[in-house]
Amino acid sequence: MAKKSRDLFVPVVPAGKLDRLFTHASSGPRHGAARELMNRIFENFVDVDGSFVREFQTTGFSPRLFELALFAYIEEQDLPLDRTAPAPDFVIRSDHPVAIELTTTNPSQESQPGAPPTPSLLPDDLEAADQEFVFQLGKALRRKLTHRDAQDRAYWELPHVEGIPFVIAVGAFHNDHAQLHPDALLARYLYGLDQSFSHDEAGNLTIAQQELTEHRWSAKPKPLPSGLFKQPEAAHLAGVLFSNSHTIAKFNRIGIEQGLGNDETALVRFGTCFDYTPNSASPSEFAYFVGERPGEQEDFAEGLTLFLNPWAATPLAPEALPEIVTTTLRDSDGLLESTFPAGFRPFSSKTMVFPGPHSIVFARYFQQDQLGLLKPGAPSFAEVMQRMTNDSGEGS
């Protein structure tokens, strides 16, 4: 029998069965750096049930991509990984062991086929998109909590997992804007708490916190109960590991920083990040040309947030998953508190990819536009692109 290829992008199924997202990522210069980096990481990946490549190319592109990104984080941190059993996905057997099962929010089946939609930077209705985000995450998490194997055992009841803190890692992929939403929305759902920020007369930051009982989404008649960590079904859930950035864009950015890909492909990342200024109540905005981020390079720890369940039957030590943001309830007053490792910590971002011979010029113009540094009277990037479209005869 021929040895299976370790190249993720060599099709193992007929072209008609390939996922649209896989097809988009598998050719051309736009994702060349991502493809090279993913294949390098996959060389050390243990495919326990032998289905990874097939699922990556067909029905599970986003979930398998998320799994590979978390594997890269575990390797990066040199954590001892046990992959002898197919479930949960990762069992780390360090001084602070943890079992991690992955899940993702996914688009509905009827929305997957066809050509990619016209790209836009924001959803048409941001409030409704925020609501859907919470519902989609809630559904994905509860699906894993209620899962039972053929012997009617939950993940935390499996013999090789028993007594080890159990964590669900979740990534959002249900639509093209799923990664736009910050982890604060998930915190509201997990803890059943909402926070507001203000400043007192002395300029000091003050935090007000109130309990939430439910979440609503205009597309669903029934509300979603808030405070998942407090619910009986979550008693064995030690934490939730969340990312809105472990996507193909992250592989692309890290690959570019490592010198992979095509020299004529330029990337600009923009979004919001944690502001380390004392008493700051709002995030900072950023836009950088990938490969020129001051002082540091991106890694797979960046963008991960661990929410710890203070009511878990088997609690998780925060240091079990190093170099990431951790959130829990403060013992002294019950306020939600996040601990940020030193360095750049994004809340949400998007990455623009510019292929072709003029990629650097377009990328730098877009970056300057995002930072508000264009000269007075200069056209915006959107206006420049519109003029080019009209000049080429492709406009309306």
Side-chain angles (χ1 to χ4, degrees), residues 126-162:
L126 184 57
E127 182 178 358
D130 284 345
Q131 294 170 353
E132 179 184 7
F133 174 77
V134 173
F135 269 68
Q136 292 279 7
L137 289 176
K139 180 174 69 174
L141 292 170
R142 293 195 310 275
R143 185 170 62 239
K144 290 298 182 180
L145 288 176
T146 57
H147 171 81
R148 298 296 184 269
D149 69 3
Q151 286 74 48
D152 198 34
R153 298 174 299 188
Y155 290 108
W156 53 87
E157 294 173 333
L158 298 175
H160 63 288
V161 175
E162 202 166 359

Side-chain angles (χ1 to χ4, degrees), residues 2-25:
K3 183 180 179 181
K4 290 186 178 180
S5 171
R6 294 298 287 181
D7 188 336
L8 288 165
F9 297 92
V10 173
V12 298
V13 299
K17 293 186 177 182
L18 294 174
D19 180 85
R20 168 178 63 86
L21 295 175
F22 169 79
T23 301
H24 182 61

Side-chain angles (χ1 to χ4, degrees), residues 134-248:
V134 173
F135 269 68
Q136 292 279 7
L137 289 176
K139 180 174 69 174
L141 292 170
R142 293 195 310 275
R143 185 170 62 239
K144 290 298 182 180
L145 288 176
T146 57
H147 171 81
R148 298 296 184 269
D149 69 3
Q151 286 74 48
D152 198 34
R153 298 174 299 188
Y155 290 108
W156 53 87
E157 294 173 333
L158 298 175
H160 63 288
V161 175
E162 202 166 359
I164 297 177
F166 174 69
V167 166
I168 299 176
V170 61
F173 295 91
H174 52 275
N175 60 40
D176 293 320
H177 298 295
Q179 291 87 41
L180 175 71
H181 308 282
D183 55 19
L185 293 175
L186 177 56
R188 296 173 79 241
Y189 168 64
L190 293 176
Y191 297 97
L193 295 170
D194 186 26
Q195 290 187 330
S196 58
F197 304 89
S198 60
H199 293 91
D200 61 21
E201 294 180 355
N204 297 313
L205 181 67
T206 61
I207 302 174
Q209 187 167 275
Q210 62 180 10
E211 291 192 8
L212 296 172
T213 59
E214 63 183 26
H215 302 269
R216 291 189 173 273
W217 177 22
S218 55
K220 297 288 184 179
K222 187 177 180 180
L224 176 69
S226 193
L228 177 66
F229 279 158
K230 303 175 186 178
Q231 305 302 323
E233 62 265 31
H236 296 280
L237 179 61
V240 170
L241 182 64
F242 170 74
S243 170
N244 59 4
S245 67
H246 283 62
T247 64
I248 195 167

Side-chain angles (χ1 to χ4, degrees), residues 33-45:
R35 291 195 298 271
E36 288 187 54
L37 180 60
M38 292 170 77
N39 273 330
R40 288 186 180 186
I41 294 169
F42 189 59
E43 283 298 319
N44 296 325
F45 183 90

Side-chain angles (χ1 to χ4, degrees), residues 106-365:
N106 303 306
S108 60
Q109 291 298 316
E110 58 267 21
S111 67
Q112 291 184 20
T118 302
S120 59
L121 296 182
L122 292 172
D124 294 333
D125 187 337
L126 184 57
E127 182 178 358
D130 284 345
Q131 294 170 353
E132 179 184 7
F133 174 77
V134 173
F135 269 68
Q136 292 279 7
L137 289 176
K139 180 174 69 174
L141 292 170
R142 293 195 310 275
R143 185 170 62 239
K144 290 298 182 180
L145 288 176
T146 57
H147 171 81
R148 298 296 184 269
D149 69 3
Q151 286 74 48
D152 198 34
R153 298 174 299 188
Y155 290 108
W156 53 87
E157 294 173 333
L158 298 175
H160 63 288
V161 175
E162 202 166 359
I164 297 177
F166 174 69
V167 166
I168 299 176
V170 61
F173 295 91
H174 52 275
N175 60 40
D176 293 320
H177 298 295
Q179 291 87 41
L180 175 71
H181 308 282
D183 55 19
L185 293 175
L186 177 56
R188 296 173 79 241
Y189 168 64
L190 293 176
Y191 297 97
L193 295 170
D194 186 26
Q195 290 187 330
S196 58
F197 304 89
S198 60
H199 293 91
D200 61 21
E201 294 180 355
N204 297 313
L205 181 67
T206 61
I207 302 174
Q209 187 167 275
Q210 62 180 10
E211 291 192 8
L212 296 172
T213 59
E214 63 183 26
H215 302 269
R216 291 189 173 273
W217 177 22
S218 55
K220 297 288 184 179
K222 187 177 180 180
L224 176 69
S226 193
L228 177 66
F229 279 158
K230 303 175 186 178
Q231 305 302 323
E233 62 265 31
H236 296 280
L237 179 61
V240 170
L241 182 64
F242 170 74
S243 170
N244 59 4
S245 67
H246 283 62
T247 64
I248 195 167
K250 175 177 274 288
F251 285 97
N252 225 12
R253 294 191 302 265
I254 294 178
I256 290 287
E257 290 183 340
Q258 293 182 5
L260 307 178
N262 189 310
D263 290 340
E264 291 188 344
T265 300
L267 278 62
V268 175
R269 186 187 188 190
F270 63 103
T272 59
C273 61
F274 182 72
D275 185 349
Y276 287 91
T277 305
N279 292 311
S280 174
S282 302
S284 294
E285 295 185 356
F286 71 88
Y288 67 84
F289 189 95
V290 173
E292 296 182 355
R293 199 167 87 185
E296 59 183 349
Q297 289 190 330
E298 185 172 356
D299 58 23
F300 284 95
E302 180 185 296
L304 287 172
T305 299
L306 175 63
F307 297 96
L308 295 170
N309 183 358
W311 302 284
T314 306
L316 176 68
E319 54 268 32
L321 299 174
E323 300 299 321
I324 66 175
V325 178
T326 57
T327 298
T328 191
L329 296 182
R330 197 158 61 191
D331 290 336
S332 59
D333 53 15
L335 286 178
L336 272 178
E337 182 177 56
S338 294
T339 302
F340 291 82
F344 177 73
R345 293 293 155 180
F347 289 132
S348 65
S349 70
K350 282 185 174 288
T351 302
M352 293 289 286
V353 182
F354 300 88
H358 304 294
S359 59
I360 294 178
V361 175
F362 285 123
R364 293 204 182 280
Y365 199 92

